[in-house]
Amino acid sequence: MFSPAELLGPCLTRAPPQESMRAYAANVYTSVVAELTNRPQRRFIAVEQEFFRLWWTSVASEKQKYQVHQLLKKGQLEFVLGGQVMHDEAVTHLDDQILQLTEGHGFLYETFGIRPQFSWHVDPFGASATTPTLFALAGFNAHLISRIDYDLKEAMQEAQGLQFVWQGSKSLSAQQQIFTHVMDQFSYCTPSQLSFSNRSGFYWNGVAVFPEPPPDGVYPNMSEPVTPANIDLYAKELVANVKQRAAWFQTPYILWPWGCDKQFFNASVQFANMDPLLDHINNRSQELGVSVEYATLGDYFRALHALNISWAVYNHHDFLPYSSEPFAAWTGFYTSRSMLKGMARRASALLYAGESMFTRYMWPVPHGALDPTWALQQLQQLRWAVSEVQHHDAITGTESPKVRDMYMEHLATGMQGVRKIMSSIVLDKFQLRLTARAAESEVWSEPGSNPRPDGYSASVYNPLAWTVTTIVTLTIHFPRVSVTDEMGHPVPAQIQNSTKDPSAYDLLILSVIPGLSYRHYRVMPTTEAQEATTMATTLRFKSKLRRHSSSQKKRLVTMANDCYTVQFDQDTNLMHSIWERESNRTVPLTQEFLEYQANGDVHQGPVSDNYMFTANKTAVPAWKTVVMELVRGKLVTEVRQYFYRNTTAQNYTFAIHSRLAHVSSDPDQELLCHRIEQKYRVGPLELNREAILRTSSDISNQKLIYSDNNGYQMQRRPYQAFVNNVIARNYFPMVQSAFIEDNKSRLVLLSERAHGISSQDNGQVEVMLHRRLWNNLTWNLNYNLTLNDTSIVSPMLWLLLGPHSVTTALRPRMGLALQHRPIVLVRELASKGVPMARSAPKLPVPQEQEAVTLPPNLHLQILSIPGWNYSRVHTKHRYLRKGHQPKAQADLHRVLLRLHHLYEAKEDPFLSQPVTVDLETILRGLGPVVAVKERSLTGTWDIRSLQRWNWRTKTGHQKGHPTSPSRLKKGPIVTVYPKEIRTFFIDFQQP
């Protein structure tokens, strides 16, 4: 079966969408629609909505739009996957994967009334075990991947094991398993070598050229046209390849992908050559032993499903890391362009907070001057920017600098819009709650934008559905201040010299914030010593050369709270050990920065680049001297270490700021007590350096490490003694968490962006923080993909140390606390007499909305107003397939709610239990609940009508809990089982 396909994603590596549309993408859809319309036997699959939506809204004529509707109706055109992009699977977060799928599916359902049922995930660099679970929840019947480790693929081919039923989660039932097809060694591209020609085969339109099409219309790599003289040679070449592939599969149906990167921009010449070739083969099918037909991906999977054979089951393990050759380990992109990775996650977190803040503003009734339609447009802009950057050549850091800048610009613009929404909402709340002083005006700003303000007013929003106790940091311009809450009561705070601005100060406030709620603070300068917030003391230690501590009696500096005592060695200025209270154990532990020195000359051996990490030797220390400061205050103690590359360096290259809060281990403060917060500064690096933070301990992990799949589930990563490239092939992605352990202790690392992580020796864990590379590989030079990244990055990790029981209970919630830290909005108070804030009517003080609080094992994955205007009843969408599309305003009443159980089955005796909640009670702060309707993951299916295909398995084993009709009943009382993600539309009573 031939499956003509678009693969527009690689365009994003080299050119922004506007250039890609002009040079390539617009021609794909325009010519494909015309050619499919001309001949009904032709087929085509379209994957990503990023480009299709651009073509649909800015290029397509009304006639072309009508033709698309007709082609979809006839099954000639099929949308597979249907997300905004084909997202990466290694370094993306679960929430963002769901977002980009939801945005794409919502567009397709609104526009055409269709719901994709098959995936086409052929190009991500490795496959995550999260994906089969998400795609099953989205309603997909089958899944297709390609890039898995070369030696594993070879073994699976020989065993005819490239097709199986994948049960991605060990906690969920077989209801969330999915049939999976792995592309063979030829991957997703048509075989390009022809024995009878020196040109590539089956690429008759050549390869697209950027940024403008060639003026003479002659594209590079154009295949030799099919003619009566060579058609038999073409047929034999194609049939031979089909038979070669047939030996690797169990069934009589073979999927033969037709296309590749930057193909089908001239569908006319493609089909004009392939049509006679297929006819020629089918006219000689008995002689050749093969018959062929155009097919969509759905056609192929329907043929397989109809065979009703039993398939092997693949368990919850992933296909990461991915190596395409012995010295080609695709593990460098876990860290490439760390600044982009960090910005993408910050944008996602801001969007998450903005969604719930806007939803709470709208329900039970809007109470301010904010225009809801404008606000929804701002949220939509950031949704699309966050979705776009999940592309497998975006957040991965494998794009050119020009395209990276485009992603960052889109994210920045979207974030600015959402901040404006938040500022407007909080300003409305603040003006409604408080009586402003007559001489004051309130100016929304970034902290520190006014050098001489008379004070500050800060509003802090907690986007999580639990009460959070945390330290909020503001940058201010005076050393003596009083801090009060909205009731005028003083609050615990600490002031210290700023780490960002030598002329400013950091104000730390201990804040306790209920779920989806606010705290408001007023910060005013004072001359009264008894009212002033205490200033932290700073002690600076002498610079120390890199060496092992030789003294028998250690001179130790400590920072401590109820959970930990962290000690630093004055003789080395390095961390020495951590005592943790739960098991009363002291773990020797040191940290330092090292670098892998990369080869940049392809003539000297394998190179590292945006994609690949190739370590020729072990990492070497990247510093000569280190300076240490101890900052001790009422709320926190910080130890700041500054690492210098050599003894004469004026500026440090690396830094670690470690912080411990002075709080108790009581349940309401345990997440703050049990974490050691570390913020790093790395760069600028020297050329061809890959910087790591190595933490060494006496935890006997035997080089076994655990790291997460997309913040959803943990994967066991045993060290493997490969013959070649052993260091790089033992690197794994860490999206949100990783840990090492022995039978006594577990050391957990939590991250706010993706990194590469490894355990190269017993008791060690190393995190790759930054990369700067250049090489002379022609392909990299042509597309400016050498990763000459001169930036300074500031990633953050939280460390958690303790027995298995404690770390198991705290890790999922603490990871979310890091990802979704409270949003701080600051107003500078000026006394110039002229109001600078926009005016708003003085209204009666409203009652504060009731907090939204979930049990500790349940996460509010999203609370939003998506704005879709499609009917929830699928039959009402049938008219869309006829090409009629009414104009409709965004629906501001439909609320999307998604709940996620954070724990695996049997992981914790209490937190791993199913949890039952009454949504009417939990959401009563938003108004009376009228209806709760469960939907598929992306919202397009009524869960009661979603009947996914059943694929027979050889084991016949059904694990986990069953999906019974009683669990699908309507009503506000919902039970969520371990690792489940359940999605709902909520209807509230309208005023």
Side-chain angles (χ1 to χ4, degrees):
M1 291 185 172
F2 287 72
S3 186
E6 68 80 331
L7 196 70
L8 304 183
C11 303
L12 288 174
T13 312
R14 274 80 75 178
Q18 292 77 12
E19 286 186 15
S20 296
M21 282 293 291
R22 184 170 61 250
Y24 172 54
N27 294 331
V28 171
Y29 295 117
T30 298
S31 65
V32 162
V33 168
E35 292 306 312
L36 295 184
T37 301
N38 287 341
R39 297 193 67 177
Q41 73 269 31
R42 293 170 174 171
R43 299 289 185 271
F44 195 80
I45 61 172
V47 184
E48 298 167 309
Q49 299 313 303
E50 172 85 1
F51 282 108
F52 179 81
R53 191 192 299 230
L54 282 173
W55 177 79
W56 183 261
T57 58
S58 61
V59 177
S61 67
E62 290 302 313
K63 178 181 177 181
Q64 289 168 328
K65 290 182 179 181
Y66 175 79
Q67 290 172 333
V68 169
H69 279 279
Q70 296 305 305
L71 293 170
L72 289 168
K73 180 181 178 180
K74 296 174 183 177
Q76 289 181 257
L77 176 64
E78 180 178 69
F79 286 104
V80 295
L81 183 63
Q84 284 287 90
V85 296
M86 187 189 300
H87 66 252
D88 171 69
E89 298 190 39
V91 299
T92 49
H93 193 276
L94 166 81
D95 295 354
D96 303 322
Q97 294 179 357
I98 296 173
L99 170 69
Q100 75 87 18
L101 278 175
T102 301
E103 287 301 300
H105 287 192
F107 165 74
L108 287 175
Y109 197 46
E110 253 187 359
T111 309
F112 305 111
I114 63 168
R115 300 170 289 199
Q117 297 184 43
F118 309 100
S119 91
W120 178 265
H121 241 230
V122 295
D123 209 20
F125 320 131
S128 165
T130 303
T131 307
T133 299
L134 292 192
F135 286 2
L137 291 170
F140 290 2
N141 287 312
H143 177 41
L144 186 145
I145 62 176
S146 181
R147 294 186 185 270
I148 65 172
D149 213 69
Y150 73 97
D151 49 2
L152 177 60
K153 178 175 283 193
E154 182 178 346
M156 294 173 77
Q157 283 183 175
E158 294 302 315
Q160 292 189 328
L162 292 171
Q163 294 170 322
F164 48 84
V165 173
W166 194 357
Q167 294 180 344
S169 168
K170 62 183 178 182
S171 295
L172 297 178
S173 71
Q175 194 71 20
Q176 273 69 54
Q177 68 188 13
I178 196 166
F179 179 81
T180 302
H181 172 106
V182 182
M183 289 286 201
D184 56 43
Q185 68 185 39
F186 294 102
S187 192
Y188 59 83
C189 291
T190 306
S192 60
Q193 300 302 315
L194 297 176
S195 60
F196 63 88
S197 172
N198 59 3
R199 300 196 213 173
S200 297
F202 311 102
Y203 300 132
W204 292 286
N205 58 191
V207 177
V209 176
F210 298 85
E212 298 290 346
D216 59 0
V218 178
Y219 288 82
N221 208 33
M222 296 178 75
S223 301
E224 185 176 328
V226 174
T227 66
N230 66 18
I231 193 169
D232 196 52
L233 296 173
Y234 258 117
K236 289 179 179 178
E237 200 84 26
L238 194 154
V239 168
N241 184 257
V242 169
K243 290 182 176 180
Q244 180 184 6
R245 293 177 172 205
W248 301 329
F249 294 92
Q250 302 177 42
T251 75
Y253 302 114
I254 302 302
L255 178 67
W256 198 85
W258 178 30
C260 195
D261 300 357
K262 300 181 289 180
Q263 287 295 302
F264 277 93
F265 56 90
N266 187 343
S268 176
V269 70
Q270 290 283 88
F271 282 111
N273 282 275
M274 186 59 83
D275 284 350
L277 181 56
L278 297 195
D279 291 341
H280 183 83
I281 293 172
N282 287 331
N283 289 336
R284 294 163 177 76
S285 60
Q286 286 191 333
E287 171 193 343
L288 297 173
V290 168
S291 62
V292 292
E293 65 181 72
Y294 289 124
T296 65
L297 192 59
D299 292 333
Y300 174 69
F301 281 131
R302 276 186 284 271
L304 290 188
H305 187 253
L307 295 173
N308 199 30
I309 65 175
S310 295
W311 303 94
V313 173
Y314 192 81
N315 62 16
H316 60 276
H317 294 297
D318 62 11
F319 293 96
L320 290 164
Y322 159 62
S323 290
S324 54
E325 298 174 17
F327 285 97
W330 296 53
T331 56
F333 79 91
Y334 300 160
T335 303
S336 296
R337 302 206 189 284
S338 179
M339 184 174 289
L340 175 62
K341 286 177 166 64
M343 186 175 188
R345 287 279 285 278
R346 288 194 302 275
S348 173
L350 184 71
L351 176 62
Y352 174 79
E355 298 278 19
S356 64
M357 186 185 286
F358 177 62
T359 304
R360 297 214 76 185
Y361 174 85
M362 292 295 295
W363 291 98
V365 62
H367 46 260
L370 180 67
D371 178 0
T373 301
W374 172 84
L376 187 60
Q377 290 170 349
Q378 305 311 304
L379 289 167
Q380 184 71 72
Q381 187 174 24
L382 187 53
R383 289 173 194 166
W384 290 355
V386 172
S387 296
E388 173 188 68
V389 81
Q390 307 312 313
H391 188 275
H392 59 273
D393 269 319
I395 196 170
T396 51
T398 54
E399 66 285 297
S400 68
K402 179 167 65 172
V403 178
R404 172 209 59 200
D405 293 344
M406 176 205 72
Y407 288 131
M408 296 186 77
E409 180 184 351
H410 290 181
L411 290 169
T413 301
M415 293 170 76
Q416 183 180 31
V418 171
R419 287 194 187 101
K420 288 180 180 178
I421 298 172
M422 293 175 154
S423 298
S424 297
I425 291 173
V426 173
L427 184 59
D428 283 334
K429 277 182 167 290
F430 190 82
Q431 289 183 329
L432 290 168
R433 286 181 51 84
L434 301 176
T435 302
R437 297 181 184 179
E440 291 177 350
S441 64
E442 297 165 358
V443 183
W444 284 101
S445 66
E446 293 293 326
S449 63
N450 182 352
R452 296 282 180 187
D454 276 10
Y456 302 89
S457 180
S459 296
V460 185
Y461 178 71
N462 170 25
L464 292 171
W466 311 304
T467 297
V468 168
T469 302
T470 191
I471 303 292
V472 174
T473 302
L474 308 179
T475 300
I476 62 175
H477 290 90
F478 23 78
R480 298 168 68 91
V481 296
S482 64
V483 184
T484 54
D485 62 16
E486 53 265 72
M487 302 303 294
H489 301 148
V491 297
Q494 170 181 321
I495 196 165
Q496 58 195 40
N497 292 328
S498 175
T499 57
K500 297 179 181 178
D501 182 353
S503 66
Y505 302 89
D506 287 340
L507 175 65
L508 282 58
I509 303 171
L510 181 64
S511 188
V512 181
I513 320 169
L516 273 63
S517 298
Y518 303 85
R519 282 290 176 261
H520 304 282
Y521 301 101
R522 186 173 291 270
V523 179
M524 301 298 293
T526 182
T527 57
E528 300 295 330
Q530 65 271 21
E531 294 181 5
T533 298
T534 58
M535 172 71 78
T537 60
T538 301
L539 178 63
R540 186 176 177 90
F541 297 85
K542 292 182 179 179
S543 174
K544 299 295 182 181
L545 289 169
R546 177 171 52 81
R547 62 182 176 84
H548 293 291
S549 179
S550 57
S551 60
Q552 295 294 318
K553 188 174 182 180
K554 303 291 185 183
R555 297 184 302 150
L556 301 177
V557 175
T558 66
M559 60 179 189
N561 64 7
D562 268 12
C563 298
Y564 300 117
T565 298
V566 185
Q567 297 185 315
F568 294 80
D569 188 344
Q570 291 187 50
D571 293 325
T572 62
N573 285 348
L574 300 178
M575 187 180 288
H576 172 269
S577 61
I578 303 175
W579 172 84
E580 53 91 4
R581 178 179 181 177
E582 296 290 344
S583 57
N584 192 25
R585 181 188 179 193
T586 298
V587 176
L589 192 147
T590 61
Q591 293 181 307
E592 65 171 331
F593 293 97
L594 299 93
E595 290 175 331
Y596 289 100
Q597 299 181 0
N599 169 45
D601 185 355
V602 294
H603 303 294
Q604 301 297 318
V607 298
S608 288
D609 63 8
N610 299 50
Y611 304 89
M612 254 74 80
F613 169 41
T614 307
N616 299 313
K617 298 178 181 178
T618 58
V620 297
W623 58 281
K624 288 291 186 181
T625 64
V626 55
V627 172
M628 182 169 67
E629 292 179 345
L630 175 67
V631 182
R632 197 183 299 278
K634 176 180 168 184
L635 286 186
V636 307
T637 297
E638 290 184 0
V639 172
R640 303 170 181 172
Q641 298 160 283
Y642 304 96
F643 295 79
Y644 293 80
R645 190 171 288 281
N646 54 61
T647 56
T648 60
Q650 298 297 308
N651 299 310
Y652 57 87
T653 304
F654 308 97
I656 308 175
H657 291 182
S658 303
R659 174 188 287 184
L660 200 60
H662 303 157
V663 294
S664 72
S665 58
D666 294 342
D668 61 337
Q669 297 185 334
E670 62 179 352
L671 291 183
L672 183 56
C673 182
H674 278 94
R675 68 191 188 227
I676 302 167
E677 299 180 9
Q678 289 195 325
K679 188 168 185 178
Y680 312 96
R681 182 190 184 277
V682 182
L685 300 181
E686 295 179 351
L687 196 59
N688 284 331
R689 297 292 186 268
E690 298 168 281
I692 66 168
L693 172 76
R694 178 175 290 168
T695 301
S696 304
S697 72
D698 71 348
I699 296 174
S700 184
N701 71 314
Q702 303 302 312
K703 299 196 278 190
L704 170 65
I705 194 168
Y706 294 78
S707 74
D708 67 318
N709 275 159
N710 317 110
Y712 179 65
Q713 59 191 6
M714 302 302 292
Q715 291 285 335
R716 186 176 185 269
R717 313 289 195 186
Y719 185 91
Q720 298 187 60
F722 296 105
V723 175
N724 298 310
N725 213 15
V726 64
I727 295 175
R729 295 186 73 181
N730 278 288
Y731 253 77
F732 306 96
M734 173 180 67
V735 175
Q736 185 167 286
S737 62
F739 62 81
I740 60 172
E741 65 181 11
D742 57 18
N743 59 358
K744 296 179 182 178
S745 296
R746 177 183 291 167
L747 174 64
V748 178
L749 280 64
L750 299 167
S751 178
E752 38 73 74
R753 72 186 70 182
H755 299 283
I757 194 165
S758 184
S759 179
Q760 296 287 333
D761 205 350
N762 190 36
Q764 286 185 355
V765 55
E766 64 184 52
V767 182
M768 188 172 288
L769 298 177
H770 201 11
R771 312 176 77 215
R772 182 185 176 192
L773 302 166
W774 184 91
N775 63 70
N776 56 4
L777 188 65
T778 302
W779 193 85
N780 286 339
L781 293 175
N782 286 345
Y783 294 113
N784 197 7
L785 297 177
T786 55
L787 199 64
N788 189 7
D789 187 347
T790 59
S791 65
I792 297 172
V793 298
S794 300
M796 184 184 299
L797 295 176
W798 287 359
L799 309 185
L800 167 62
L801 178 67
H804 295 187
S805 59
V806 173
T807 56
T808 295
L810 295 179
R811 180 188 57 81
R813 288 185 291 146
M814 198 176 288
L816 287 167
L818 173 57
Q819 176 71 16
H820 297 297
R821 285 160 284 168
I823 302 296
V824 182
L825 297 160
V826 177
R827 290 179 297 278
E828 294 183 346
L829 305 179
S831 56
K832 302 301 181 183
V834 180
M836 298 178 68
R838 65 178 179 83
S839 60
K842 293 293 185 285
L843 300 175
V845 177
Q847 185 177 358
E848 182 72 30
Q849 282 179 288
E850 188 169 346
V852 176
T853 305
L854 289 174
N857 50 358
L858 204 58
H859 170 46
L860 183 66
Q861 201 269 342
I862 194 67
L863 180 69
S864 72
I865 298 175
W868 304 314
N869 54 42
Y870 59 71
S871 172
R872 304 173 198 193
V873 181
H874 180 62
T875 53
K876 293 185 179 181
H877 272 283
R878 289 178 178 170
Y879 68 90
L880 288 176
R881 298 195 183 106
K882 299 177 182 178
H884 301 299
Q885 193 169 351
K887 299 290 184 181
Q889 296 296 318
D891 185 348
L892 292 169
H893 301 293
R894 181 180 303 174
V895 173
L896 174 69
L897 170 75
R898 191 176 290 119
L899 300 176
H900 172 200
H901 196 302
L902 294 173
Y903 293 84
E904 299 280 2
K906 302 180 180 179
E907 187 177 21
D908 182 274
F910 169 71
L911 296 168
S912 291
Q913 296 301 313
V915 56
T916 300
V917 293
D918 185 341
L919 297 180
E920 191 169 27
T921 300
I922 289 171
L923 300 174
R924 60 191 171 200
L926 282 76
V929 174
V930 174
V932 175
K933 299 173 183 176
E934 186 163 7
R935 308 292 293 186
S936 61
L937 182 73
T938 60
T940 55
W941 289 88
D942 183 325
I943 202 70
R944 294 171 299 170
S945 65
L946 177 56
Q947 300 293 326
R948 295 176 58 245
W949 294 354
N950 180 45
W951 297 81
R952 291 176 56 190
T953 60
K954 292 179 179 179
T955 62
H957 178 56
Q958 302 286 312
K959 63 191 179 86
H961 57 273
T963 303
S964 62
S966 63
R967 293 187 57 247
L968 302 180
K969 64 184 181 181
K970 292 182 179 180
I973 298 177
V974 174
T975 299
V976 188
Y977 287 77
K979 299 312 292 184
E980 270 197 331
I981 302 171
R982 297 184 67 182
T983 304
F984 304 90
F985 286 161
I986 310 294
D987 291 340
F988 294 98
Q989 181 176 314
Q990 297 184 30

